[in-house]
mmCIF file of all heavy atoms in Angstrom:
data_model
loop_
_atom_site.group_PDB
_atom_site.id
_atom_site.type_symbol
_atom_site.label_atom_id
_atom_site.label_comp_id
_atom_site.label_asym_id
_atom_site.label_seq_id
_atom_site.Cartn_x
_atom_site.Cartn_y
_atom_site.Cartn_z
ATOM 1 N N MET A 263 7.966 -16.917 17.676
ATOM 2 C CA MET A 263 8.871 -17.336 18.709
ATOM 3 C C MET A 263 8.166 -18.520 19.522
ATOM 4 O O MET A 263 6.977 -18.481 19.741
ATOM 5 C CB MET A 263 9.151 -16.194 19.655
ATOM 6 C CG MET A 263 10.244 -16.446 20.654
ATOM 7 S SD MET A 263 11.582 -15.196 20.805
ATOM 8 C CE MET A 263 10.876 -13.766 20.441
ATOM 9 N N ASN A 270 15.723 -31.130 20.174
ATOM 10 C CA ASN A 270 16.972 -31.805 20.560
ATOM 11 C C ASN A 270 18.217 -31.082 20.209
ATOM 12 O O ASN A 270 18.087 -29.954 19.948
ATOM 13 C CB ASN A 270 16.912 -33.324 19.996
ATOM 14 C CG ASN A 270 16.704 -33.241 18.493
ATOM 15 O OD1 ASN A 270 17.209 -32.325 17.830
ATOM 16 N ND2 ASN A 270 16.178 -34.294 18.045
ATOM 17 N N GLU A 273 19.658 -28.760 14.745
ATOM 18 C CA GLU A 273 19.002 -27.629 14.237
ATOM 19 C C GLU A 273 17.982 -28.071 13.209
ATOM 20 O O GLU A 273 18.226 -29.069 12.456
ATOM 21 C CB GLU A 273 20.069 -26.721 13.740
ATOM 22 C CG GLU A 273 20.940 -26.049 14.884
ATOM 23 C CD GLU A 273 21.755 -24.868 14.315
ATOM 24 O OE1 GLU A 273 21.679 -24.575 13.206
ATOM 25 O OE2 GLU A 273 22.617 -24.493 15.144
ATOM 26 N N ASP A 276 19.303 -29.575 9.944
ATOM 27 C CA ASP A 276 19.874 -30.912 10.042
ATOM 28 C C ASP A 276 18.870 -31.913 9.601
ATOM 29 O O ASP A 276 19.167 -32.927 9.042
ATOM 30 C CB ASP A 276 20.380 -31.244 11.481
ATOM 31 C CG ASP A 276 21.510 -30.352 11.984
ATOM 32 O OD1 ASP A 276 22.380 -29.952 11.094
ATOM 33 O OD2 ASP A 276 21.567 -30.034 13.112
ATOM 34 N N SER A 284 12.704 -37.463 13.392
ATOM 35 C CA SER A 284 12.271 -36.639 14.515
ATOM 36 C C SER A 284 11.734 -37.544 15.666
ATOM 37 O O SER A 284 11.383 -38.746 15.451
ATOM 38 C CB SER A 284 11.188 -35.624 14.085
ATOM 39 O OG SER A 284 9.999 -36.307 13.669
ATOM 40 N N PHE A 285 11.491 -36.970 16.816
ATOM 41 C CA PHE A 285 10.859 -37.664 17.897
ATOM 42 C C PHE A 285 9.803 -36.766 18.509
ATOM 43 O O PHE A 285 9.877 -35.587 18.431
ATOM 44 C CB PHE A 285 11.883 -38.126 18.975
ATOM 45 C CG PHE A 285 12.605 -36.995 19.623
ATOM 46 C CD1 PHE A 285 12.031 -36.459 20.847
ATOM 47 C CD2 PHE A 285 13.705 -36.502 19.196
ATOM 48 C CE1 PHE A 285 12.666 -35.398 21.508
ATOM 49 C CE2 PHE A 285 14.346 -35.356 19.764
ATOM 50 C CZ PHE A 285 13.814 -34.877 21.009
ATOM 51 N N TYR A 312 11.180 -26.072 4.608
ATOM 52 C CA TYR A 312 12.441 -25.647 3.859
ATOM 53 C C TYR A 312 12.209 -25.860 2.347
ATOM 54 O O TYR A 312 12.707 -25.028 1.584
ATOM 55 C CB TYR A 312 13.578 -26.416 4.379
ATOM 56 C CG TYR A 312 14.262 -25.825 5.529
ATOM 57 C CD1 TYR A 312 13.711 -25.913 6.838
ATOM 58 C CD2 TYR A 312 15.429 -25.043 5.399
ATOM 59 C CE1 TYR A 312 14.392 -25.336 7.941
ATOM 60 C CE2 TYR A 312 16.019 -24.464 6.475
ATOM 61 C CZ TYR A 312 15.442 -24.535 7.692
ATOM 62 O OH TYR A 312 16.107 -23.947 8.799
ATOM 63 N N ILE A 322 15.247 -18.432 5.126
ATOM 64 C CA ILE A 322 14.932 -18.943 6.456
ATOM 65 C C ILE A 322 16.124 -18.714 7.350
ATOM 66 O O ILE A 322 17.227 -19.016 7.003
ATOM 67 C CB ILE A 322 14.549 -20.478 6.479
ATOM 68 C CG1 ILE A 322 13.352 -20.684 5.453
ATOM 69 C CG2 ILE A 322 14.160 -20.884 7.828
ATOM 70 C CD1 ILE A 322 13.101 -22.112 5.273
ATOM 71 N N SER A 346 16.523 -1.234 -9.409
ATOM 72 C CA SER A 346 16.904 0.110 -8.876
ATOM 73 C C SER A 346 16.790 0.145 -7.396
ATOM 74 O O SER A 346 17.417 1.014 -6.694
ATOM 75 C CB SER A 346 16.022 1.197 -9.511
ATOM 76 O OG SER A 346 14.654 0.995 -9.126
ATOM 77 N N ARG A 352 3.247 -1.289 -7.153
ATOM 78 C CA ARG A 352 3.306 -2.806 -6.862
ATOM 79 C C ARG A 352 3.775 -3.495 -8.179
ATOM 80 O O ARG A 352 2.929 -3.648 -9.033
ATOM 81 C CB ARG A 352 1.959 -3.200 -6.337
ATOM 82 C CG ARG A 352 1.777 -2.641 -4.915
ATOM 83 C CD ARG A 352 0.419 -3.143 -4.268
ATOM 84 N NE ARG A 352 0.566 -4.517 -4.071
ATOM 85 C CZ ARG A 352 -0.451 -5.183 -3.625
ATOM 86 N NH1 ARG A 352 -1.568 -4.552 -3.218
ATOM 87 N NH2 ARG A 352 -0.412 -6.503 -3.466
ATOM 88 N N GLN A 362 -4.762 2.384 -17.194
ATOM 89 C CA GLN A 362 -3.779 3.289 -17.683
ATOM 90 C C GLN A 362 -4.450 4.537 -18.244
ATOM 91 O O GLN A 362 -3.979 5.663 -18.057
ATOM 92 C CB GLN A 362 -2.978 2.647 -18.793
ATOM 93 C CG GLN A 362 -1.737 3.414 -19.240
ATOM 94 C CD GLN A 362 -0.800 3.676 -18.100
ATOM 95 O OE1 GLN A 362 -0.424 2.808 -17.416
ATOM 96 N NE2 GLN A 362 -0.387 4.896 -17.965
ATOM 97 N N VAL A 364 -7.400 5.863 -17.280
ATOM 98 C CA VAL A 364 -7.855 6.617 -16.143
ATOM 99 C C VAL A 364 -6.729 7.407 -15.511
ATOM 100 O O VAL A 364 -6.800 8.472 -15.201
ATOM 101 C CB VAL A 364 -8.579 5.749 -15.158
ATOM 102 C CG1 VAL A 364 -9.018 6.494 -13.857
ATOM 103 C CG2 VAL A 364 -9.932 5.204 -15.754
ATOM 104 N N ARG A 392 -14.959 0.763 -9.847
ATOM 105 C CA ARG A 392 -14.114 -0.360 -9.764
ATOM 106 C C ARG A 392 -12.648 -0.047 -10.102
ATOM 107 O O ARG A 392 -11.739 -0.482 -9.400
ATOM 108 C CB ARG A 392 -14.597 -1.569 -10.578
ATOM 109 C CG ARG A 392 -13.862 -2.853 -10.374
ATOM 110 C CD ARG A 392 -14.416 -3.993 -11.177
ATOM 111 N NE ARG A 392 -14.972 -3.679 -12.580
ATOM 112 C CZ ARG A 392 -14.084 -3.528 -13.634
ATOM 113 N NH1 ARG A 392 -12.784 -3.608 -13.502
ATOM 114 N NH2 ARG A 392 -14.600 -3.109 -14.814
ATOM 115 N N LEU A 397 -6.972 1.112 -8.576
ATOM 116 C CA LEU A 397 -5.839 1.940 -8.602
ATOM 117 C C LEU A 397 -5.439 2.414 -7.201
ATOM 118 O O LEU A 397 -4.242 2.521 -6.955
ATOM 119 C CB LEU A 397 -6.176 3.177 -9.474
ATOM 120 C CG LEU A 397 -6.221 2.935 -11.062
ATOM 121 C CD1 LEU A 397 -6.634 4.141 -11.763
ATOM 122 C CD2 LEU A 397 -4.968 2.366 -11.550
ATOM 123 N N GLY A 399 -6.023 0.627 -4.468
ATOM 124 C CA GLY A 399 -5.477 -0.583 -3.898
ATOM 125 C C GLY A 399 -4.086 -0.909 -4.241
ATOM 126 O O GLY A 399 -3.255 -1.388 -3.575
ATOM 127 N N GLY A 412 -12.403 17.754 -3.596
ATOM 128 C CA GLY A 412 -11.040 17.162 -3.578
ATOM 129 C C GLY A 412 -10.493 16.875 -4.975
ATOM 130 O O GLY A 412 -11.000 17.269 -5.984
#
Side-chain angles (χ1 to χ4, degrees):
M263 189 134 28
N270 52 30
E273 292 188 5
D276 295 330
S284 66
F285 63 93
Y312 273 79
I322 302 173
S346 66
R352 290 181 62 182
Q362 190 60 49
V364 169
R392 184 178 41 77
L397 292 172

